[in-house]
Amino acid sequence: MSTSSTLNPRRATSEEVAKTIKRGGANWKPIAFQALLLILLSVSLLILIVLLADILVSAWPTFRDRGLSFITDGLSLNPETAGVWTAIVGSVIIAVVVAVLAFPVGIGAAIYLEEYAPNNSITRFVDTTVRNLAGVPSIVYGLLGLALFVPLVNIIGFGGATSGKNVVAAGITMAALVLPIVIITSAEAIRAVPNAIREAGYGVGATKWEVVKNHVMPVALPGVLTGTVLTLARAFGETAPLLVIGVATGFFAPAGDASFYDTLTGPYTALPVVVFSWTRQTQAEFAETLAPAAIVVLLVVLFILNGLAIWMRNRSDRKW
Amino acid sequence: MTDRIETHLGTTEEGQMAQEQANTSTTASDVAATSAEDSDAVRTSGGDPDDLNPVIIELENVNVYYDDFHAVSDVSLPIREREITAFIGPSGCGKSTVLRCLNRMNDLIESARVEGGVNYHGVDLYGPNIDPVEVRRRIGMVFQKPNPFPKSIYDNVAFGPKIAGYKGNMDDLVEQSLDRAALWDEVKDKLDESAYALSGGQQQRLCIARAIATSPDVVLMDEPASALDPIATLRIEELMYELKAEYTIIIVTHNMQQAGRVSDRTAFFSVDIQDDGERTGRLVEFSETATLFTTPEKQETEDYITGRFG
Amino acid sequence: MTHHEIEPRHHFDDELDEIRASLVDLGTMVLANIRWAGEVVVENRLDEVDAVVEADAPINEKYQELEEKVFHILALQQPVASDLRFLVVASRILYEMERSGDLAVNIVNSLERIHGIPADTTLQSSLDRLSAASATMFARGIEAIATMDPEIGLHAEAEDEETDNLTSDLFTAVTARQDELGLEASVALFYMGRFFERIADHGVNIAQNITFAVTAQFPEDY
């Protein structure tokens, strides 16, 4: 009604409307930005592909000449007969120890932090500390393992011939290494559970434990599993802490009829360590074809692990 | 089935005994005269206070704090059995906070502190040795957004009784609860399907079925229809009206027409904003809904319900 | 320049004000017709009877228009408390006004049926005073709407006693002359008296309804 209004003085004609809402030409800014992003993605993918291709090409002769025996053979000073079996065994045992130790402890700690801990300065301090621990260089965990877990392993009777510098200590050290990550990823998954579900549980007279067990954890499980299994991959790839706790970087021959106890307590090695040590061997074949082949094996094992993680998540994540 | 009926009877008897206590304590506070009680007595047609349903929950000078923040100040009102009591008021007036005091849902917020008495069948819910878990079984709750568990329809209803150690026939109980929530016919062929496959309105009725499966005598509803379309809303309202025969219902609603349609009594809360910006809710007026919506006693109520608030 | 502020329900308030103003307008139209009918009767202006009857048509039109408006507001705005009381009362007042307009028509129609009032000063002055008192009471009703003053309704019934007395006076005068007036004229005069009295009652009802709209309570003599 007000004649002085500048907001909506009169009805616009359709030409005027067309002029304002039709675009003159192509708007190049968003297109350029999109192109830039695509280029960045291509560069990172390209680097990865080149790397993979290089390794596969280098590794090819080994698999062509040796076939499966490269996998099933143990360590050897002779490039003709050297294989990764001992390393696979070491890595898998480490992974199992990590799974047995770090997962329950980490998930339990996450549940406590998210569901039970009072929201006070101590909890916040613990939370911050866990986050900081996740960023501590892995070599430091190696030193911790040497100072703490090697003696501990001796005390609990797994010292064996290596006086504790064995796969058990390595596994415990790796568990300590991934523990903060397990806690953080699990806590995130638990935090992501809608509060409405908790309220619903309390609303029908459930105790805190019943709410956590019956409602929070089933919903959080896919996220928890994904996070924790991915930490296994981390444990698989780490080298530095193992070097500190006396992983064998040279040749050793486990007795063919070694008992499981001997395997646990004897000298050990792991896949990334083998890659590392082979690149430093004097014979050229070790660095040129065997190390890349070991890398391929490591990658395949990692793929299998990740695949397992996805499969487990999909299985537990029944869509309700 | 027989089991269940017996438990029901048991509860009622206990309830009546506690009720007698409650009545005596109410008389004492009547002398102290909560204004709401007085106006009830004056206004109820027939004028005989004995015609009123007995009080099941009596709030006495309830104050709620979150740390130092005074969220609700000095609320006193009686909730009567088998009636629908509505809490209305502007945002931040503490109506939901008061509702959540009634089944100790506020316990879940660490910083929350409740002072004053919330007497349920004459027993102070904030007294010593009260188990909040048991309280929530007897005073069920339905939330603003339908929040079924991510489980099957059957498990949603059965969970509460199961953890409460229900010994009777679970299938019967689930059917009975769903039937009372007017959902049975719609879901009887898909009890094993996800609760999330239901429509919003059905999900909310499932939540009502879940709430009544633990045989509560009071059901709290926190804006139960605010996320639903008008038809689903009217269904919920109709359901509340039917449930009133067996349960005491307290509903928080932003929708004044809804309060007018479903409730017997309405409590109007308002909010005081202090100089430091702190917002404290308080009870302004509590009376029969018909009275409150036609001839409110306080100008503040009139301004709010006629839409001239603020 | 003043800044634009949104008051809650400003638009609704305007609508209610409009209804109130329209009620006063309609009341004024009806009042004019009541007064006209009174003059026509007292001065035996038989030639104006048809004009009075015709003047009721716009009243009925406006009545229907307002009734519809109130009905729509009730349906669309879902008023409560004082708003609800005012609108319900507005609907009743509309009825009272429409009836009063019809009564004015009935009065002139009765006059026409007996071809004018017999030349009798007692009767004429009695009718004169009654019609004036009746119009005054109706005007009190309109005043109540215009001012929304609940006091008017509280005293209206007492004020209306004058109309009742004047009606009794008329009845006494007619009864004393029934032989010379004849049956038809007597009955018509009785009716006219009754109609004027009813109009005054409608005025009282209007004022009392306003009292209810404002205070939520009817006067005790309602």
Side-chain angles (χ1 to χ4, degrees):
Chain A
M1 287 11 102
S2 142
T3 47
S4 65
S5 170
T6 51
L7 278 178
N8 214 349
R10 66 189 168 75
R11 194 170 185 277
T13 65
S14 90
E15 288 79 29
E16 284 170 331
V17 172
K19 216 169 85 184
T20 25
I21 65 174
K22 278 191 185 162
R23 214 162 44 199
N27 198 346
W28 59 270
K29 272 186 188 166
I31 297 172
F33 187 61
Q34 202 178 339
L36 178 72
L37 293 178
L38 188 65
I39 291 167
L40 292 175
L41 174 68
S42 312
V43 168
S44 32
L45 269 181
L46 200 69
I47 294 174
L48 201 65
I49 289 167
V50 168
L51 211 62
L52 258 178
D54 182 53
I55 289 169
L56 284 175
V57 168
S58 313
W60 174 240
T62 310
F63 289 111
R64 184 193 55 207
D65 302 338
R66 303 273 306 278
L68 269 184
S69 69
F70 175 70
I71 310 276
T72 54
D73 283 343
L75 292 174
S76 168
L77 289 172
N78 177 2
E80 302 293 311
T81 57
V84 289
W85 183 249
T86 324
I88 292 179
V89 170
S91 279
V92 167
I93 293 176
I94 290 172
V96 169
V97 174
V98 167
V100 168
L101 290 182
F103 291 4
V105 174
I107 296 171
I111 292 175
Y112 180 81
L113 278 177
E114 285 304 314
E115 299 290 327
Y116 287 87
N119 182 17
N120 57 23
S121 51
I122 298 173
T123 309
R124 279 191 293 274
F125 174 73
V126 170
D127 202 61
T128 315
T129 309
V130 170
R131 276 163 200 286
N132 286 335
L133 282 178
V136 168
S138 55
I139 187 86
V140 177
Y141 282 96
L143 296 170
L144 178 78
L146 189 64
L148 219 63
F149 300 141
V150 170
L152 178 77
V153 165
N154 277 318
I155 292 169
I156 60 172
F158 280 99
T162 52
S163 314
K165 292 186 175 185
N166 54 31
V167 76
V168 179
I172 298 175
T173 306
M174 282 299 189
L177 171 71
V178 300
L179 189 60
I181 308 168
V182 174
I183 295 175
I184 292 169
T185 52
S186 303
E188 299 287 354
I190 292 167
R191 200 173 307 149
V193 175
N195 226 9
I197 289 181
R198 293 186 184 86
E199 283 193 327
Y202 291 123
V204 291
T207 61
K208 189 159 225 167
W209 167 237
E210 286 161 342
V211 168
V212 169
K213 182 185 66 161
N214 292 300
H215 302 300
V216 175
M217 285 322 286
V219 177
L221 197 62
V224 170
L225 277 182
T226 314
T228 48
V229 178
L230 286 179
T231 60
L232 262 193
R234 169 96 194 269
F236 238 88
E238 277 294 344
T239 323
L242 300 185
L243 294 176
V244 181
I245 22 179
V247 72
T249 53
F251 168 76
F252 70 91
D257 56 350
S259 69
F260 184 60
Y261 179 82
D262 292 335
T263 315
L264 284 182
T265 57
Y268 73 102
T269 191
L271 274 170
V273 178
V274 164
V275 173
F276 168 74
S277 58
W278 279 351
T279 54
R280 296 163 61 220
Q281 293 290 326
T282 44
Q283 287 135 298
E285 289 103 317
F286 274 112
E288 280 163 16
T289 73
L290 287 185
I295 291 174
V296 171
V297 172
L298 179 61
L299 285 179
V300 169
V301 173
L302 282 179
F303 274 128
I304 292 172
L305 268 181
N306 286 349
L308 203 68
I310 293 168
W311 178 74
M312 277 165 72
R313 186 191 59 203
N314 290 348
R315 244 180 66 103
S316 66
D317 190 19
R318 176 167 175 194
K319 278 274 167 281
W320 280 108
Chain B
M1 284 297 285
T2 350
D3 273 4
R4 193 167 150 68
I5 289 161
E6 273 167 18
T7 19
H8 249 291
L9 284 176
T11 355
T12 326
E13 266 167 29
E14 273 173 42
Q16 274 165 357
M17 281 170 60
Q19 190 49 52
E20 279 163 24
Q21 291 178 332
N23 281 344
T24 45
S25 73
T26 317
T27 342
S29 71
D30 267 350
V31 182
T34 59
S35 62
E37 278 273 333
D38 273 1
S39 58
D40 274 351
V42 173
R43 281 169 158 165
T44 310
S45 51
D48 185 2
D50 293 337
D51 286 352
L52 296 175
N53 289 358
V55 173
I56 186 164
I57 299 180
E58 171 102 40
L59 285 93
E60 282 173 346
N61 303 100
V62 170
N63 284 274
V64 186
Y65 300 84
Y66 295 113
D67 287 328
D68 295 333
F69 164 54
H70 195 179
V72 175
S73 157
D74 244 5
V75 172
S76 299
L77 62 89
I79 306 286
R80 294 182 184 280
E81 230 166 63
R82 288 155 207 247
E83 280 191 357
I84 300 177
T85 304
F87 290 179
I88 63 167
S91 296
C93 69
K95 53 192 189 298
S96 279
T97 305
V98 172
L99 187 80
R100 281 161 181 259
C101 285
L102 304 183
N103 68 343
R104 297 201 45 174
M105 215 57 183
N106 277 340
D107 289 18
L108 303 184
I109 302 163
E110 259 174 69
S111 58
R113 197 171 84 247
V114 177
E115 283 174 8
V118 180
N119 296 316
Y120 166 68
H121 290 294
V123 182
D124 187 1
L125 291 183
Y126 288 87
N129 301 324
I130 296 288
D131 179 7
V133 168
E134 200 52 51
V135 168
R136 291 182 202 126
R137 277 175 197 157
R138 306 188 53 135
I139 305 178
M141 186 150 193
V142 176
F143 300 85
Q144 182 172 2
K145 254 187 76 192
N147 61 348
F149 299 126
K151 296 182 189 301
S152 70
I153 292 166
Y154 184 98
D155 288 345
N156 260 278
V157 181
F159 175 71
K162 203 189 305 172
I163 55 171
Y166 179 68
K167 293 289 190 301
N169 186 327
M170 188 63 86
D171 291 353
D172 284 350
L173 178 62
V174 169
E175 174 172 350
Q176 204 180 359
S177 304
L178 285 167
D179 188 48
R180 271 192 208 164
L183 192 61
W184 174 250
D185 287 335
E186 289 160 71
V187 302
K188 63 181 174 207
D189 298 325
K190 47 180 181 181
L191 293 174
D192 291 335
E193 283 177 32
S194 166
Y196 286 179
L198 299 175
S199 73
Q202 289 173 324
Q203 287 187 20
Q204 196 61 301
R205 275 180 281 148
L206 176 63
C207 291
I208 291 173
R210 180 178 68 188
I212 58 184
T214 56
S215 310
D217 54 6
V218 179
V219 179
L220 311 178
M221 299 192 176
D222 192 356
E223 296 183 47
S226 64
L228 305 180
D229 68 56
I231 299 298
T233 300
L234 293 176
R235 279 217 182 98
I236 298 281
E237 288 176 7
E238 195 56 37
L239 175 57
M240 289 169 66
Y241 197 79
E242 281 172 23
L243 291 174
K244 189 169 81 163
E246 287 178 77
Y247 305 92
T248 305
I249 297 175
I250 306 163
I251 174 181
V252 163
T253 177
H254 265 126
N255 182 336
M256 282 181 282
Q257 278 81 34
Q258 181 170 67
R261 286 192 296 262
V262 299
S263 73
D264 299 291
R265 277 165 221 283
T266 299
F268 168 60
F269 292 82
S270 189
V271 58
D272 288 330
I273 303 171
Q274 264 96 57
D275 296 338
D276 57 359
E278 193 174 291
R279 303 163 72 90
T280 303
R282 73 191 147 79
L283 178 66
V284 176
E285 186 165 347
F286 176 61
S287 47
E288 279 181 36
T289 301
T291 309
L292 192 117
F293 280 98
T294 52
T295 53
E297 209 161 78
K298 305 258 171 67
Q299 186 60 38
E300 225 181 325
T301 316
E302 166 98 23
D303 287 348
Y304 182 74
I305 62 173
T306 61
R308 269 81 166 190
F309 177 78
Chain C
M1 158 164 192
T2 54
H3 281 277
H4 183 66
E5 250 179 74
I6 296 203
E7 277 172 50
R9 310 213 86 176
H10 190 89
H11 170 72
F12 180 49
D13 280 342
D14 285 350
E15 276 186 315
L16 292 180
D17 267 350
E18 207 184 299
I19 294 285
R20 199 171 54 80
S22 302
L23 283 178
V24 173
D25 288 349
L26 178 64
T28 312
M29 287 163 74
V30 174
L31 180 63
N33 233 24
I34 291 166
R35 289 202 166 120
W36 192 7
E39 286 164 23
V40 166
V41 165
V42 173
E43 297 169 18
N44 267 332
R45 300 194 321 229
L46 286 166
D47 53 325
E48 287 180 24
V49 165
D50 288 345
V52 173
V53 173
E54 273 163 37
D56 193 47
I59 290 174
N60 286 341
E61 256 170 54
K62 193 167 172 80
Y63 156 75
Q64 274 173 4
E65 179 198 321
L66 280 176
E67 189 67 82
E68 199 170 312
K69 218 179 242 177
V70 170
F71 189 57
H72 280 173
I73 297 179
L74 283 171
L76 302 178
Q77 300 276 6
Q78 290 134 13
V80 291
S82 60
D83 298 337
L84 177 63
R85 294 199 304 269
F86 174 75
L87 286 163
V88 168
V89 157
S91 178
R92 284 195 209 134
I93 288 176
L94 280 170
Y95 167 78
E96 308 269 357
M97 286 178 171
E98 196 267 345
R99 285 298 306 141
S100 303
D102 289 350
L103 288 170
V105 168
N106 291 347
I107 288 167
V108 292
N109 279 339
S110 300
L111 180 76
E112 194 175 40
R113 203 169 302 128
I114 58 170
H115 313 294
I117 305 286
D120 181 314
T121 45
T122 317
L123 281 180
Q124 276 169 337
S125 81
S126 183
L127 273 169
D128 192 11
R129 275 178 293 151
L130 176 58
S131 71
S134 162
T136 306
M137 270 327 291
F138 192 80
R140 295 294 277 158
I142 299 170
E143 189 191 342
I145 306 170
T147 58
M148 291 302 280
D149 181 357
E151 289 295 315
I152 298 175
L154 289 179
H155 308 304
E157 191 67 56
E159 240 178 293
D160 190 40
E161 253 173 58
E162 196 197 342
T163 329
D164 296 340
N165 293 337
L166 289 168
T167 313
S168 306
D169 290 353
L170 177 69
F171 286 180
T172 315
V174 172
T175 313
R177 292 164 178 75
Q178 55 178 317
D179 289 341
E180 51 197 88
L181 288 170
L183 182 63
E184 204 184 0
S186 302
V187 170
L189 283 166
F190 267 122
Y191 267 117
M192 281 189 225
R194 175 64 64 204
F195 293 152
F196 278 121
E197 193 207 357
R198 288 297 306 143
I199 288 173
D201 287 345
H202 285 309
V204 171
N205 287 350
I206 290 172
Q208 288 177 330
N209 269 298
I210 291 296
T211 305
F212 172 74
V214 177
T215 65
Q217 264 168 346
F218 281 106
E220 276 170 27
D221 45 15
Y222 178 72

